[in-house]
Amino acid sequence: MSKIQDCVIKNRWDILKEFTEARIGLGRVGVNLPTNELLAFQLAHAQAQDAVHLPLDVDSLSQELNNMPIDLKLLNMQVNETGLIQDGCTPILLHSKAQNRSVYLQRPDLGRRLDEHSIKLLENFKSEDITYDLAIVIVDGLSSFAIKENAVKYIKKLTLSLANEQDSWKIAPFAIVQQGRVAIGDEVASLLNAKAVLVLIGERPGLSSPDSLGLYLTYNPKIGLTDAYRNCISNVRLDGLSYDEAVNKSMYLLKESRRLQLSGVNLKERTQDNIIENSFDEQKNFLIK
Amino acid sequence: MTSPYRYTLGNRTYNFKNLAELMAKATPKRSGDILAQVAASSSQERVVAQMKLAETPLKNFLNEALIPYEKDEITRLILDEHNKEAFSLISHMTVGDFRNWLLSDETTTDIIKSVQDGFTPEMVAAVSKIMRNQELILVAKKAKVVKSFRNTIGLDNRLSTRLQPNHPTDDVVGIAASILDGLLYANGDAVIGINPATDNISQATKLLKLMDEVIQKYEIPTQSCVLTHVTNTIEAIENKAPVDLVFQSIGGTEATNSSFGFNLNTLKEAQDAALSLNRGTVGKSVMYFETGQGSSLSANAHHNIDQQTCEARAYAVAKKFDPLLVNTVVGFIGPEYLYDGKEITRAGLEDHFCGKLLGVPMGCDICYTNHAQADQNDMDDLLTLLSVAGCNFIIGVPGADDIMLNYQSTSFHDALYARKVLGLKPAPEFEQWLEKMDIFSDMKNFILNKKMPLAFSKPLNNLLGEIA
């Protein structure tokens, strides 16, 4: 009879774990997982399930946006070309028609629409003479953790890039939506008179990535548009797509959507078209060497 | 005018407005139909609807289109492709008779195959609504569907897997590491298929080259796929990328597919482009489709038809293009469509049953998200049931945790469990390759080699040498 520890067959290739977060090289007992790996999975699952129910800390997010340096060129077209930096922008706080998380999970239709109070708030901001090039809408989605970790850091870099563009960008006041789905950005932007909307939303938490931020761009946003009208950049987080890369991709899509006056399936993301062959040579697939 | 769909139980008469409403109310309970406000309002109404549905002649499904012929190209596809001669054998039956006929010992695999082109998606969806889980399993097992490209998938006592080595930034080394892990756990005969992190044609091309080089170097009898939009794949083919299979997510209404940004003509164009490359060795099935209950509702394109019937209609789209692989990503969309493990399990069995009856090579991504009431035990249950039902393939993800799509599926280990307890082998060509590569030490008893096979330890050692 073999000793208990002899039952576990280790995978020699487990050293490849340094190249991916994927659960590779777990080893086995027969064809099943070793006990430690089984329980590690159960723990990650429990944490992800809990993350879905963690509410967004709207106060501290507003505070962060308030303290964020922003180029005045983005807020007011009349400023001279050097621009001035001011501290912050008070966000508009909005809520979907889904009153709580339980309703939110089962009624995505309610998560896509603003409640009455929010609509009134936005109507107060709206003025017939002002149109914006872009609205930036922060939505809790399924992971408030993703918003807390990534939203402001990404917005800082994005607004810097926008301010450096030759063709000026005028951005609408930031909006924060609680219990929202992606499409709610379209309603917010159309009420603000914005030509395009970029939604920052907490993606559903994965076991290894409870903090993943998704970005959705719609040109000419209005209520009732389907996903075919949106472009998505996914998995923005420290261990995923970096803020710089996300901003590069965003800027490409923003500029192209403004030039072509469209978004969605007819707007292809081609930021890597020129560099991909080079990076492919550098980053080798060890299996074919 | 009163509807023909009436049923009197005791002193109460239930009226169902039309066939679509009857079908929706007869569906086993699920959250998506409640969300769409088409579900039965009580358990009794549900069973009454099932009783009325059982009395409904199959002919009605040809005379009463759930979405008008003029308004929907999927309805046109279904009715135009319907084979009246094949249907003649069952044309006198009601839905209830159809159930009895399917379960009968006399109705063999060959007979189902010969009558299959006479079924419509609505007929098979209807009959599934009045069947129990074990019946969905029993009939699906009879209705086997075999397809081939570089290997043969769907044969008796076989279970194939898609090796899904996704990575959140499409890192080449990270993806290669997951491919190695999958191959050494004997996974990947259905396809090595990557969901790319960004919807970018150069990215797709990079990943296609990566997989093509691995498949060629190790002479693996399998195929690769990058699961990007069909129009991207068409462009990649024009750019001479090594495309084996064309992928697209499909739904059961024209409006759903429009929301996905394609129509039937797009799929035809893609199929022709892939066939022109002539990369298959044992067959010419070049399409890979994914489906899932709830997609039409999610796209607001369901025409008040229940989500399971919409799903069955998607298989008519699949069938038209002779796919190698079709899988329902059963628990992917979330709890608003399938609330918990029980609903996911039922939906997985229905989807597999309906696809197989229509002649579609069904597999299943047995899966759930973290906001649903489900866990890995539910996946074990559905995996076991579908493996018994003769499911063509399942998904293999390292440790069942997809780090790009953020959901849980079945792992490489899980596939080996199912193969072991039920004696199911991979596709025959792949089985021979596993033997040749020393991946198993005892293939008969499904015992993996404790040592790393030589062909793979070399590149690993090279990599380690470089790092050191």
Side-chain angles (χ1 to χ4, degrees):
Chain A
M1 181 90 185
S2 61
K3 288 182 199 162
I4 286 166
Q5 63 262 37
D6 291 340
C7 297
V8 176
I9 296 157
K10 290 211 163 81
N11 293 148
R12 237 196 79 207
W13 62 93
D14 63 355
I15 35 169
L16 295 174
K17 281 177 179 172
E18 82 174 85
F19 301 105
T20 178
E21 299 280 306
R23 290 170 199 260
I24 59 167
L26 301 182
R28 58 192 179 87
V29 277
V31 295
N32 292 89
L33 288 176
T35 302
N36 61 332
E37 294 293 353
L38 173 73
L39 293 175
F41 183 101
Q42 310 278 45
L43 177 63
H45 181 231
Q47 287 169 335
Q49 286 204 306
D50 289 346
V52 171
H53 296 277
L54 182 75
L56 179 66
D57 184 347
V58 177
D59 290 345
S60 62
L61 181 61
S62 300
Q63 195 63 41
E64 273 191 86
L65 287 168
N66 258 320
N67 296 337
M68 191 185 83
I70 186 154
D71 197 308
L72 280 184
K73 267 192 295 190
L74 297 172
L75 307 176
N76 183 341
M77 306 259 273
Q78 310 308 317
V79 192
N80 69 34
E81 73 272 7
T82 54
L84 289 165
I85 306 292
Q86 79 162 22
D87 257 5
C89 249
T90 307
I92 314 168
L93 304 183
L94 306 169
H95 203 287
S96 79
K97 282 189 197 293
Q99 285 167 349
N100 56 49
R101 189 94 311 205
S102 163
V103 173
Y104 175 82
L105 286 176
Q106 292 184 60
R107 294 291 304 270
D109 52 333
L110 298 181
R112 293 187 194 115
R113 297 300 302 274
L114 292 166
D115 65 10
E116 292 301 317
H117 176 71
S118 300
I119 292 171
K120 282 198 187 116
L121 255 180
L122 287 174
E123 277 167 352
N124 288 341
F125 272 87
K126 186 172 172 172
S127 150
E128 294 303 324
D129 329 326
I130 304 178
T131 56
Y132 299 102
D133 295 308
L134 178 67
I136 296 175
V137 180
I138 304 169
V139 183
D140 53 2
L142 282 164
S143 168
S144 64
F145 186 42
I147 297 296
K148 176 172 172 257
E149 291 294 300
N150 306 303
V152 174
K153 288 174 194 148
Y154 164 82
I155 289 174
K156 273 184 193 167
K157 285 184 182 272
L158 179 75
T159 49
L160 266 180
S161 285
L162 284 169
N164 286 333
E165 279 298 308
Q166 271 201 326
D167 294 331
S168 68
W169 285 86
K170 193 173 181 190
I171 62 171
F174 296 128
I176 299 174
V177 188
Q178 285 181 279
Q179 307 292 5
R181 303 257 170 183
V182 171
I184 206 164
D186 295 342
E187 184 172 11
V188 175
S190 65
L191 284 171
L192 283 168
N193 269 344
K195 289 180 202 158
V197 61
L198 187 68
V199 171
L200 282 62
I201 190 164
E203 294 175 357
R204 63 195 197 186
L207 293 198
S208 316
S209 51
D211 60 340
S212 195
L213 180 73
L215 309 172
Y216 289 83
L217 171 70
T218 320
Y219 190 82
N220 197 13
K222 50 185 182 238
I223 292 168
L225 291 182
T226 64
D227 288 342
Y229 291 88
R230 300 189 184 100
N231 293 86
C232 172
I233 299 168
S234 180
N235 194 40
V236 181
R237 63 190 177 101
L238 276 180
D239 294 325
L241 188 71
S242 72
Y243 303 127
D244 286 331
E245 281 178 74
V247 167
N248 278 344
K249 286 177 191 288
S250 311
M251 288 303 297
Y252 177 88
L253 289 175
L254 284 166
K255 285 192 281 185
E256 281 296 286
S257 75
R258 182 153 79 166
R259 185 174 71 83
L260 301 167
Q261 304 196 2
L262 55 81
S263 59
V265 288
N266 292 319
L267 174 60
K268 301 284 186 208
E269 203 268 294
R270 296 174 201 271
T271 51
Q272 301 189 351
D273 279 12
N274 298 325
I275 53 159
I276 205 104
E277 288 306 318
N278 295 333
S279 69
F280 184 56
D281 286 345
E282 280 163 27
Q283 203 191 18
K284 284 281 197 297
N285 165 10
F286 67 92
L287 285 176
I288 55 149
K289 281 208 283 191
Chain B
M1 205 179 88
T2 51
S3 157
Y5 302 106
R6 277 192 312 277
Y7 196 90
T8 304
L9 186 74
N11 52 12
R12 181 167 171 194
T13 298
Y14 289 82
N15 265 300
F16 303 96
K17 200 166 60 195
N18 52 34
L19 190 50
E21 183 179 301
L22 180 68
M23 299 260 291
K25 294 203 162 171
T27 302
K29 186 181 169 191
R30 68 204 50 187
S31 55
D33 294 328
I34 297 170
L35 176 64
Q37 299 179 319
V38 299
S41 56
S42 68
S43 300
Q44 180 164 303
E45 189 188 20
R46 179 168 297 112
V47 181
V48 170
Q50 289 171 346
M51 290 167 133
K52 183 64 210 174
L53 188 59
E55 288 178 353
T56 301
L58 290 180
K59 277 182 185 153
N60 287 27
F61 292 89
L62 299 175
N63 301 329
E64 191 179 342
L66 301 191
I67 309 172
Y69 187 88
E70 302 73 30
K71 280 191 181 164
D72 187 281
E73 67 170 358
I74 316 298
T75 301
R76 291 197 288 279
L77 174 73
I78 291 166
L79 294 176
D80 295 349
E81 297 278 313
H82 183 253
N83 183 331
K84 293 208 162 46
E85 201 186 319
F87 182 63
S88 61
L89 188 72
I90 56 166
S91 61
H92 60 286
M93 291 182 187
T94 62
V95 173
D97 298 335
F98 188 35
R99 175 184 166 279
N100 291 335
W101 180 80
L102 287 168
L103 291 166
S104 155
D105 291 331
E106 274 76 54
T107 307
T108 59
T109 300
D110 289 342
I111 289 175
I112 289 176
K113 204 164 282 283
S114 67
V115 185
Q116 202 157 54
D117 291 344
F119 305 160
T120 67
E122 290 84 356
M123 291 175 199
V124 301
V127 77
S128 77
K129 293 173 196 296
I130 58 164
M131 290 170 81
R132 275 176 47 197
N133 288 2
Q134 62 162 287
E135 298 163 358
L136 297 175
I137 292 169
L138 192 147
V139 174
K141 189 164 174 72
K142 280 203 271 193
K144 69 172 176 183
V145 182
V146 181
K147 296 281 177 174
S148 55
F149 185 73
R150 276 196 208 105
N151 55 18
T152 313
I153 299 164
L155 293 165
D156 280 337
N157 300 315
R158 307 267 172 182
L159 176 67
S160 295
T161 63
R162 165 180 163 200
L163 199 173
Q164 183 171 303
N166 294 345
H167 188 280
T169 58
D170 292 336
D171 178 86
V172 168
V173 185
I175 286 176
S178 290
I179 291 178
L180 176 70
D181 195 56
L183 292 173
L184 292 174
Y185 276 98
N187 276 242
D189 51 338
V191 62
I192 302 175
I194 301 172
N195 299 90
T198 54
D199 209 15
N200 170 301
I201 293 158
S202 299
Q203 188 80 336
T205 305
K206 176 181 86 168
L207 297 173
L208 284 164
K209 284 182 182 163
L210 156 73
M211 290 185 287
D212 189 47
E213 284 171 342
V214 172
I215 287 173
Q216 283 195 35
K217 166 156 178 169
Y218 296 96
E219 299 175 332
I220 312 173
T222 189
Q223 35 282 327
S224 77
C225 187
V226 171
L227 285 76
T228 186
H229 195 267
V230 60
T231 54
N232 285 355
T233 306
I234 291 172
E235 201 171 320
I237 292 173
E238 284 163 3
N239 297 341
K240 309 256 184 293
V243 172
D244 290 341
L245 305 182
V246 176
F247 170 81
Q248 184 55 44
S249 287
I250 58 171
T253 70
E254 182 178 339
T256 311
N257 292 335
S258 299
S259 89
F260 292 160
F262 78 94
N263 60 28
L264 296 175
N265 286 333
T266 326
L267 296 181
K268 176 77 173 79
E269 189 191 335
Q271 185 190 20
D272 289 345
L275 283 171
S276 76
L277 300 180
N278 202 21
R279 291 170 60 84
T281 52
V282 294
K284 288 187 189 302
S285 297
V286 294
M287 303 299 280
Y288 176 11
F289 297 119
E290 279 188 353
T291 66
Q293 291 190 24
S295 65
S296 292
L297 175 57
S298 168
N300 197 22
H302 63 297
H303 301 267
N304 288 320
I305 295 169
D306 69 84
Q307 64 184 28
Q308 190 247 338
T309 302
C310 282
E311 170 74 7
R313 286 169 53 98
Y315 305 146
V317 176
K319 185 181 181 182
K320 175 73 182 162
F321 299 99
D322 181 33
L324 180 74
L325 309 166
V326 177
N327 70 267
T328 169
V329 194
V330 67
F332 187 76
I333 321 190
E336 61 269 36
Y337 306 102
L338 295 170
Y339 188 69
D340 56 12
K342 186 182 172 83
E343 292 189 9
I344 291 171
T345 302
R346 174 71 196 184
L349 293 175
E350 287 167 354
D351 295 350
H352 177 252
F353 166 91
C354 289
K356 284 284 176 72
L357 262 195
L358 292 167
V360 170
M362 285 304 291
C364 185
D365 189 348
I366 299 163
C367 63
Y368 64 104
T369 61
N370 284 312
H371 57 309
Q373 299 293 315
D375 63 21
Q376 225 56 34
N377 288 321
D378 297 305
M379 302 301 100
D380 290 345
D381 294 350
L382 183 55
L383 168 61
T384 308
L385 297 172
L386 282 174
S387 300
V388 173
C391 185
N392 280 25
F393 71 102
I394 58 164
I395 305 295
V397 177
D401 172 20
D402 191 297
I403 56 172
M404 205 284 281
L405 294 171
N406 293 341
Y407 78 124
Q408 287 78 250
S409 178
T410 44
S411 70
F412 304 137
H413 294 72
D414 294 336
L416 287 176
Y417 142 77
R419 283 175 176 169
K420 192 166 187 164
V421 289
L422 295 164
L424 307 173
K425 292 181 166 183
E429 298 85 350
F430 195 76
E431 182 190 354
Q432 280 179 17
W433 180 83
L434 292 170
E435 202 132 42
K436 186 179 91 183
M437 298 300 280
D438 282 331
I439 287 174
F440 282 100
S441 65
D442 178 356
M443 184 92 197
K444 231 191 206 155
N445 295 304
F446 300 88
I447 295 172
L448 289 171
N449 206 334
K450 283 188 188 178
K451 284 191 191 134
M452 187 146 168
L454 189 64
F456 292 105
S457 59
K458 274 187 192 164
L460 187 65
N461 288 340
N462 288 343
L463 178 74
L464 295 180
E466 270 176 36
I467 295 168

